[in-house]
């Protein structure tokens, strides 16, 4: 392959055959990526027949933007059954995915500013400036950890966070960027009291009861979500029974008409965070798409079904008493 009688070549010939500069060959040699076969009497570098293929491989790996340590590991495993190349490519793809997501969010944010009325630009710039790109869900998770019952098992907390914290879309529309920015601002605003107001169920169910409650609510919300997707009006049925059963299990009590009435009254006065769920729905719903149910919208549907059921039961009670007195 090389023109010399000993089958070796100098740094200039190697660089010419590989289509790179002498400086490039020297750089890779000095970092141990391209070993020399020997040195001439005058101290010049000499490379063996495999140097050209190795140099071309190094160039290919660097073209993929793999860092030098990764390239070194791949070269070390070139003739082995190692997975250095596969691991490096997978890491590079993950990093590239994050970069692309950040670029898409920046593009959508720029379009948001470009398309909004001049009078709204200052407010939107302030919202976007307070948000990382790509956005982080950590503030949302912290908000819920402060809202959820204390000492609730980590597994139960994690399961709730999976459905309560909307994941930023990879390719957002400007409206979704605005909704996520507003959602981040919402969870970071200071509370009016010393602590976030908690529903009564959090104070009375205890740690174990809270885990049972939220596991049951997750099932009920899923059932209610299916009805919301069908545009069904709230009605008593499997979803409502599952909803009530979650509270029955948490309180270790019985499901009776009186319990349902008291539950409806308590839930009606519990603290609400409707704005969170409205914004969460905007984040996960692309413009023009069907609004996806959230735990908040499912809860409202179930509460409306419970209210309707208890109102009907109360209206029927006087009639039953009148019939019994005849």
């Amino acid at each position: 392959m090389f023109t010399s009688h000993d089958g070796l070549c100098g740094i200039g010939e190697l660089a010419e055959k590989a289509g790179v500069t002498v400086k490039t060959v020297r750089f890779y040699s000095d970092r141990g990526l391209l070993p020399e076969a020997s040195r001439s009497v005058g101290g010049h570098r000499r490379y063996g027949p495999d140097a050209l293929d190795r140099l071309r491989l190094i160039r290919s790996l660097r073209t993929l933007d793999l860092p030098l340590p990764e390239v070194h590991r791949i070269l070390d495993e070139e003739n082995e059954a190692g997975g250095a190349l596969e691991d490096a490519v997978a890491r590079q793809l993950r990093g590239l995915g994050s970069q692309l997501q950040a670029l898409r969010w920046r593009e959508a944010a720029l379009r948001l500013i470009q398309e909004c009325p001049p009078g709204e630009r200052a407010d939107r710039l302030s919202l976007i400036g307070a948000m990382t790109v790509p956005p982080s869900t950590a503030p949302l998770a912290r908000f819920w950890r402060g809202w959820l019952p204390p000492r609730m098992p980590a597994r139960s907390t994690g399961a709730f966070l999976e459905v309560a914290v909307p994941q930023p879309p990879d390719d957002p529309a400007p409206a979704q960027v605005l909704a996520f920015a507003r959602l981040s601002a919402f969870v970071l605003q200071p509370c009016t009291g010393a602590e976030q107001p908690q529903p009564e169920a959090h104070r009375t169910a205890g740690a174990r009861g809270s885990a049972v409650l939220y596991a049951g609510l997750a099932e009920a919300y899923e059932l209610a979500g299916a009805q919301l997707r069908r545009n069904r009006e709230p009605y008593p049925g499997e979803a409502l029974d599952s909803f009530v059963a979650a509270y029955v299990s948490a309180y270790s009590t019985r499901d009776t008409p009186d319990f349902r009435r008291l539950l409806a009254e308590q839930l009606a006065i519990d603290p609400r965070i409707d704005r969170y769920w409205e914004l969460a729905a905007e984040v996960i719903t692309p413009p023009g798409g069907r609004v996806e149910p959230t735990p908040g919208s499912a809860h409202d549907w179930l509460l409306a079904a419970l209210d309707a059921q208890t109102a009907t039961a109360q209206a029927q009670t006087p009639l039953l008493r009148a019939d019994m007195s005849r």
Side-chain angles (χ1 to χ4, degrees):
M1 179 182 296
F2 298 136
T3 58
S4 63
H5 67 280
D6 59 0
L8 303 179
C9 76
I11 191 170
E13 184 181 356
L14 178 60
E16 182 181 358
K17 287 183 177 294
V20 300
T21 65
V22 170
K23 183 178 179 181
T24 297
V25 179
R26 186 178 293 114
F27 175 82
Y28 291 140
S29 294
D30 290 344
R31 279 154 183 78
L33 298 173
L34 192 64
E36 306 161 15
S38 66
R39 291 261 180 160
S40 67
V41 176
H44 298 293
R45 304 170 195 251
R46 305 284 289 171
Y47 297 92
D50 61 341
L52 182 58
D53 288 339
R54 188 177 178 92
L55 181 54
R56 286 171 175 165
L57 176 58
I58 293 171
R59 287 190 64 197
S60 297
L61 296 173
R62 292 293 288 159
T63 299
L64 297 174
D65 205 27
L66 294 178
L68 289 177
E70 297 279 12
V71 173
H72 215 308
R73 276 192 289 272
I74 293 167
L75 293 172
D76 289 344
E77 291 188 357
E78 186 180 2
N79 297 319
E80 302 175 10
L85 177 58
E86 290 79 3
D87 293 343
V89 170
R91 278 191 291 272
Q92 200 72 357
L93 284 172
R94 286 194 296 270
L96 186 59
S98 297
Q99 293 173 35
L100 289 173
Q101 185 188 27
L103 288 173
R104 294 188 187 107
W105 272 81
R106 289 195 185 102
E107 179 187 16
L110 288 169
R111 288 169 52 201
L112 176 67
I113 301 303
Q114 183 183 51
E115 297 167 3
C116 77
E120 298 180 13
R121 284 179 181 166
D123 178 60
R124 293 190 179 184
L125 281 170
S126 177
L127 285 169
I128 291 172
M131 182 180 66
T132 60
V133 176
S136 170
T137 59
L140 280 61
R142 284 196 296 271
F143 170 83
W144 281 113
R145 290 183 187 280
W147 169 272
L148 291 170
R151 297 181 299 282
M152 195 165 84
R155 179 179 297 180
S156 300
T157 300
F160 179 82
L161 292 179
E162 284 186 10
V163 296
V165 175
Q167 294 303 308
D170 290 335
D171 190 6
Q176 291 173 294
V177 172
L178 180 60
F180 197 95
R182 286 174 171 167
L183 188 59
S184 298
F186 176 84
V187 300
L188 292 174
Q189 65 186 0
C191 300
T192 54
E195 297 180 354
Q196 294 185 32
Q198 304 291 326
E200 181 64 24
H202 292 183
R203 290 188 285 271
T204 56
R208 178 193 170 280
S210 296
V212 172
L213 172 63
Y214 276 90
L217 289 178
E219 181 179 347
Y221 292 161
E222 185 175 348
L223 293 171
Q227 302 305 316
L228 282 165
R229 291 186 182 95
R230 298 171 188 165
N231 296 320
R232 294 286 303 273
E233 292 295 324
Y235 70 96
E238 181 185 7
L240 178 58
D241 289 342
S242 178
F243 181 65
V244 174
Y247 288 94
V248 167
S249 298
Y251 295 145
S252 300
T253 187
R254 293 186 304 111
D255 183 0
T256 65
D258 281 343
F259 176 80
R260 294 198 175 208
R261 177 180 57 79
L262 292 172
L263 178 62
E265 292 174 358
Q266 181 58 57
L267 294 178
I269 61 174
D270 270 346
R272 301 181 62 85
I273 46 175
D274 294 334
R275 183 57 176 161
Y276 179 96
W277 298 117
E278 291 169 2
L279 292 169
E282 292 178 25
V283 169
I284 63 177
T285 304
R290 182 180 62 184
V291 177
E292 284 297 314
T294 65
S297 60
H299 185 90
D300 288 346
W301 190 94
L302 290 162
L303 183 55
L306 181 60
D307 287 340
Q309 184 184 58
T310 54
T312 299
Q314 286 178 328
Q316 291 175 344
T317 299
L319 296 175
L320 290 173
R321 288 175 179 170
D323 289 341
M324 292 174 63
S325 64
R326 290 177 184 174

